[in-house]
């Protein structure tokens, strides 16, 4: 069977390989069978290995999107005052979660287009009347493309005895992460971004010591309880509730392909696509929202051309007809759109996109 290839430049679900797509076509199976347990054990072990030693870290799987596992981490792990860094829509979402669960939290609001000021952050924490037990942050802010200094914040947390909770949904499996070195206690991601699998599976990678300490905390919810999900799997080698079975088969294949490429090489491939993109945009006279030094090189926010004939919807449809999907901007007074360069694509796909973007800009008389 042939599946038409499309170039997804939205920030996930990302373009997948045919082998990942086809891995979903398997005989029906009950996910409480031993055969399925072996698949899940492979997945949990290998997802951990990308960021930590399985002796000290463990992956907890859920059926659900990225937001589900971010909610699982915040609602399960936070046992004292929480500081949330908010420099974009996903930082804000963590605040919303803390609000809904009535947690004792403080929002550390920061400009979405400027690098975090770590000295200010450290002083802010030390001067606070609250003794924060946890700090939550987004590693790569998909809203803008900003890569936050995770290692720098991790050092502050280590110095001040604070547990670090990270939304790594859009950085995991592309930007190298070392949970131990970066002092991360909990890290969330999903099956459908840089790991290049299908949507439907979210996971939290936890430091075993930190996870075990939650044993006696009362769960704040049923489905998303991190400790309960973990201990059920440890005892039964089954997920508590029905998992997205076929997504798991695709995830296994996606993991094999990620291991084959290597996370660092994957980030180099993505970076090369990003360089191609940024060079091409400059040639078309388009400007970027962020300065180069804080770009994660995974998604780029582009300022819309000032031209009365321009419309995002029309540009989107023009490109969509050519099997290229782009993404609207988010959060800003400034009008922007976004182009991600993650997934099973490379710089040649970006070249195709740039060629079509140019012909759209010519068609509205913006350039010649
Ligand atoms: C994609 C993403 C999420 C999760 O989004 P879902 O739509 O729930 O999968 C969370 N955080 C970040 C930084 C993301 O990029």
């Amino acid at each position: 069977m042939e599946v038409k290839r499309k170039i997804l430049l939205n920030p996930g679900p990302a373009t997948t390989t045919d082998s990942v797509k086809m891995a979903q076509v398997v005989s029906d199976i009950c996910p409480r069978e031993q055969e399925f347990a072996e698949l899940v054990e492979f997945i949990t072990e290998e997802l951990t290995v990308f960021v930590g030693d399985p002796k000290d870290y463990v992956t907890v799987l859920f059926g659900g999107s990225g937001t589900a596992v971010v909610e699982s981490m915040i609602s399960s792990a936070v046992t004292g005052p929480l500081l949330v860094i908010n420099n974009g829509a996903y930082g804000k979402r963590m605040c919303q979660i803390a609000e809904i669960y009535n947690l004792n939290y403080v929002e550390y609001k920061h400009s979405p287009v400027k690098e975090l000021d770590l000295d200010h952050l450290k002083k802010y924490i030390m001067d606070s009347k609250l003794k924060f037990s946890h700090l939550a942050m987004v590693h790569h802010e998909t809203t803008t493309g900003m890569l936050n200094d995770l290692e720098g914040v991790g050092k502050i947390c280590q110095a001040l005895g604070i547990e670090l909770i990270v939304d790594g949904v859009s950085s995991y499996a592309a930007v190298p992460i070392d949970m131990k070195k970066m002092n991360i206690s909990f890290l969330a991601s999903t099956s459908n971004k840089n790991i290049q699998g299908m949507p439907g599976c979210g996971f939290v990678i936890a430091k075993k010591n930190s996870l075990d300490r939650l044993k006696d905390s009362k769960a704040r919810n049923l489905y998303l309880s991190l400790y309960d999900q973990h201990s059920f799997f440890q005892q039964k080698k089954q997920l508590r509730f029905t998992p997205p079975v076929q997504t798991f088969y695709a995830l296994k294949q996606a993991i094999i392909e990620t291991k084959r490429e290597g996370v660092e090489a994957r980030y180099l491939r993505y970076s090369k696509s990003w360089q191609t993109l940024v060079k091409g945009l400059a040639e078309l006279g388009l400007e970027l929202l962020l300065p180069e030094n804080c770009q994660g090189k995974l998604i780029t926010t582009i300022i819309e051309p000032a031209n009365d004939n321009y419309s995002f919807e029309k540009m989107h449809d023009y490109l969509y007809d050519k099997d290229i999907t782009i993404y609207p901007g988010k959060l800003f007074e400034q009008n922007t759109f976004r182009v991600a360069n993650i997934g099973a694509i490379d710089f040649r796909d970006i070249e195709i996109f740039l060629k079509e973007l140019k012909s759209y800009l010519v068609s509205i008389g913006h350039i010649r």
Side-chain angles (χ1 to χ4, degrees), residues 65-67 90 93 138 140 142 167 169-170 190 193:
S65 83
T67 306
Y90 293 98
R93 190 173 293 176
V138 177
H140 171 252
T142 318
D167 169 348
V169 176
S170 66
T190 69
K193 289 191 178 175

Side-chain angles (χ1 to χ4, degrees), residues 127-140:
D127 290 349
S128 171
K129 286 190 293 282
L130 290 173
K131 169 128 184 52
F132 296 110
S133 63
H134 293 76
L135 185 152
M137 73 180 286
V138 177
H139 185 199
H140 171 252

